[in-house]
Amino acid sequence: MEVEAMKKLLQSTQARRTQFISKYGTSKRYYLNENDITLKNNGESKTKEEDAGKESKNPFRAADNRVSSNFHQLLVDQEAGYLATKPPTIDVDDDKLNQQIKSTLGDNFGLRLNELVVDAANAGIAWLHYWVDDNGQFRYAIVPPDQITPIYSTDLNRKLVALRRSYKELNSDTAKYHWVHEYWDDQTVTAFKSRDEQFTDLQPLDDRFTIYDATTGVETGTSSVNHHGLGRIPFIAFPKNKERQPDLYHYKGLIDVYDKIYNGYVNDLDDIQQVFLVLKNYDGQDFGEFRKNLQKYKAIKIANLGNADASGVDQMAIDIPTEARNAMLETTKTSIFVHAQGIDPTDFKTNNATGTAIKMLYSHLELKAAKTEAYFRDALTELVRAIMNWLHVSDADSRPIEQIWTRTAIQNDVEKAQVVAQLANWTSKEAIAKANPIVEDWQQELKDQQDDLKERTDQFGNPDNLNGGDNNDDEKGS
């Protein structure tokens, strides 16, 4: 791509990119517990004591506590842990190929999938990039969502036809940062650089990729263009929902209300003294003497001016409306978990709940997780097909791919084991292995069962007689 064409593309996509980054930035702030209530403190939660020494414009309202509530991080991590703690099992109906795919995905695939769920919740969409390294090994990594600006076709298929990736990079020679802008299509990637986001000085990044001679493998120079040879744009989108909107905006207003009420409550406790003493015709020198007499003698000197004199000490108490505030805090918290489709941890009030009760508790979270899974399934299928193409599987783009996702939730294992035991004689071994609450890898469980059967067969010589006793038919024939 030429410089002028790239400059026009960058300018035409910049407004959309800026809007996306703004929403993602707010969502990321709330995930890091830097709610709007803390903006005055640069994102840091502070109490009045930490602001001591600053004079207030209003002497009656000196407290300015700003402590944010970390609901968003709790809700996002709750779904990520529920959905992606255990990575889904991939089955392409070929045990050897299954093992190759599992090995390529790596031992930390579950962690990366968890990160994708978090990114998708915060940005509305997460991105994964894959490539083949210099040693011919398939690699993949998660790309920060704010670096990616996709370009889709205008037809109903909404096919990804190109992709812009922009990020800052440090120049080791000048110790200054510059912007790198990559343009990806199904055949090549072209790299450009600029000092600012107005692209006035946009130019090709000529030393970005190394060029090798195809026959000798000798390095011949560098270029701003690289032919990746993958046949498709090597970026996979993991959307959170149809609209690709962050989760935060379903309940952000409720979190802000909760923070406002909570911090206002704390401010009132700091600002308002619970009891005031009103002194009438106090016959003393100063308040120091008053406090000393009250503490030592339990008495106060009063000047009496006659029979109609109202001298004395009155008590004035100011009550904070705690019931109304507590009720509003509780109502707002409940609304947050309802709108976010999450689980309030304080709802776990029993350790002996039935399986049905537990399922009801998880019902809203399950609806949200199931929707996320539906979108992630297509993305994961695309990743598996890319791996199979790298493995030169002939039907990589058409082979059926089965995914088995396992939820991580509190469950009644005894109840579940009883169901498995009751159905064992009428259900396949594979189904039993998948439903067994103490089994994490059902494929390994079936393999272990075969190994156990082989071991017992080798020991007793007859698979039909695994108790080591004599065969009944042999007894009859003797």
Side-chain angles (χ1 to χ4, degrees):
M1 174 176 277
E2 299 298 328
V3 172
E4 287 304 317
M6 183 62 178
K7 185 180 294 186
K8 290 181 180 179
L9 182 140
L10 292 173
Q11 291 171 344
S12 64
T13 57
Q14 189 65 11
R16 177 159 59 96
R17 168 179 160 80
T18 302
Q19 183 181 20
F20 177 88
I21 291 176
S22 176
K23 280 192 169 184
Y24 173 64
T26 300
S27 191
K28 191 66 178 291
R29 278 198 299 104
Y30 272 67
Y31 184 76
L32 298 175
N33 199 21
E34 299 174 0
N35 300 358
D36 284 353
I37 195 76
T38 66
L39 287 177
K40 183 179 178 181
N41 302 330
N42 296 321
E44 182 181 355
S45 291
K46 285 187 177 182
T47 61
K48 178 190 175 183
E49 288 74 19
E50 292 170 327
D51 275 338
K54 295 184 179 180
E55 294 185 1
S56 174
K57 295 180 180 179
N58 186 345
F60 297 102
R61 307 297 291 177
D64 189 22
N65 296 287
R66 293 175 178 269
V67 180
S68 61
S69 53
N70 204 17
F71 286 112
H72 182 55
Q73 181 265 333
L74 170 64
L75 291 161
V76 170
D77 287 353
Q78 193 175 84
E79 183 190 15
Y82 179 66
L83 178 63
T85 295
K86 294 182 179 179
T89 302
I90 308 298
D91 186 6
V92 296
D93 200 25
D94 184 320
D95 291 342
K96 181 180 179 181
L97 187 55
N98 283 342
Q99 189 57 44
Q100 288 178 305
I101 293 172
K102 184 177 180 180
S103 176
T104 303
L105 290 173
D107 296 335
N108 60 351
F109 173 60
L111 177 61
R112 293 185 178 182
L113 190 63
N114 191 290
E115 293 174 2
L116 285 168
V117 176
V118 173
D119 277 354
N122 283 326
I125 185 171
W127 288 93
L128 182 145
H129 171 48
Y130 64 88
W131 69 98
V132 179
D133 66 16
D134 294 338
N135 297 320
Q137 181 62 41
F138 187 94
R139 303 290 184 187
Y140 69 95
I142 299 172
V143 183
D146 55 350
Q147 293 185 5
I148 303 297
T149 305
I151 302 169
Y152 294 100
S153 62
T154 56
D155 56 20
L156 296 178
N157 291 326
R158 293 278 295 168
K159 181 182 178 182
L160 184 65
V161 295
L163 182 140
R164 165 191 172 181
R165 182 186 176 201
S166 298
Y167 54 94
K168 279 188 174 182
E169 185 176 74
L170 179 65
N171 187 323
S172 58
D173 295 330
T174 63
K176 294 182 179 180
Y177 282 94
H178 62 259
W179 282 95
V180 175
H181 307 285
E182 298 175 354
Y183 176 82
W184 292 79
D185 58 27
D186 58 355
Q187 298 296 327
T188 63
V189 51
T190 308
F192 300 83
K193 68 177 180 179
S194 67
R195 288 193 301 270
D196 54 47
E197 290 187 281
Q198 282 68 48
F199 324 117
T200 55
D201 60 337
L202 188 71
Q203 57 182 303
L205 197 53
D206 292 325
D207 59 348
R208 192 63 171 178
F209 306 107
T210 303
I211 302 175
Y212 296 92
D213 187 280
T215 56
T216 63
V218 177
E219 181 179 334
T220 59
T222 59
S223 173
S224 62
V225 181
N226 180 45
H227 295 265
H228 54 71
L230 294 172
R232 65 187 71 187
I233 300 173
F235 287 81
I236 301 176
F238 285 76
K240 187 67 171 63
N241 47 55
K242 180 181 178 181
E243 294 77 17
R244 302 189 175 191
Q245 290 297 314
D247 282 352
L248 174 68
Y249 295 91
H250 295 298
Y251 47 83
K252 177 180 181 295
L254 291 168
I255 293 178
D256 292 339
V257 168
Y258 188 95
D259 285 344
K260 181 179 179 181
I261 297 173
Y262 181 84
N263 285 278
Y265 199 172
V266 177
N267 289 341
D268 284 349
L269 291 174
D270 281 346
D271 285 332
I272 300 175
Q273 300 179 37
Q274 296 290 338
V275 178
F276 294 88
L277 295 178
V278 181
L279 308 180
K280 298 178 181 180
N281 297 327
Y282 169 61
D283 188 23
Q285 297 297 321
D286 53 34
F287 286 110
E289 181 184 352
F290 162 74
R291 286 194 298 266
K292 181 179 178 181
N293 291 336
L294 185 64
Q295 181 179 7
K296 184 175 181 180
Y297 302 109
K298 310 300 182 186
I300 303 170
K301 295 189 295 181
I302 297 295
N304 194 309
L305 301 178
N307 294 331
D309 184 22
S311 301
V313 179
D314 292 336
Q315 178 177 303
M316 182 178 66
I318 298 179
D319 295 326
I320 299 175
T322 58
E323 290 186 9
R325 295 201 183 204
N326 288 338
M328 192 60 191
L329 284 173
E330 190 63 30
T331 301
T332 305
K333 186 178 76 166
T334 301
S335 296
I336 289 173
F337 284 101
V338 170
H339 285 77
Q341 294 181 276
I343 301 174
D344 185 348
T346 59
D347 285 343
F348 288 94
K349 299 175 182 177
T350 177
N351 57 4
N352 193 29
T354 64
T356 302
I358 293 174
K359 286 182 179 180
M360 290 298 294
L361 190 62
Y362 277 88
S363 58
H364 285 286
L365 180 58
E366 174 58 32
L367 286 173
K368 181 168 68 171
K371 185 177 180 180
T372 303
E373 178 190 328
Y375 285 97
F376 272 45
R377 276 179 173 270
D378 285 348
L380 187 54
T381 295
E382 187 177 347
L383 176 61
V384 172
R385 294 200 188 283
I387 294 174
M388 289 195 294
N389 275 298
W390 170 69
L391 293 171
H392 304 293
V393 178
S394 58
D395 59 345
D397 293 328
S398 59
R399 177 184 286 262
I401 299 174
E402 181 183 0
Q403 301 178 28
I404 301 173
W405 292 67
T406 303
R407 304 288 192 261
T408 302
I410 296 174
Q411 61 181 358
N412 192 323
D413 286 343
V414 175
E415 189 175 281
K416 191 173 181 180
Q418 289 173 346
V419 173
V420 171
Q422 292 172 359
L423 298 176
N425 295 331
W426 295 275
T427 309
S428 68
K429 291 183 178 180
E430 180 176 319
I432 293 298
K434 291 178 180 178
N436 194 326
I438 66 171
V439 171
E440 293 187 359
D441 188 336
W442 66 268
Q443 292 175 322
Q444 183 62 40
E445 170 66 12
L446 292 178
K447 183 177 181 300
D448 292 342
Q449 290 180 10
Q450 290 294 328
D451 293 342
D452 289 346
L453 179 60
K454 183 176 183 300
E455 181 180 343
R456 286 181 287 179
T457 300
D458 293 342
Q459 181 178 357
F460 300 110
N462 185 352
D464 294 326
N465 182 16
L466 301 178
N467 294 321
D470 295 330
N471 188 290
N472 292 333
D473 292 337
D474 291 341
E475 292 178 356
K476 292 179 181 179
S478 58

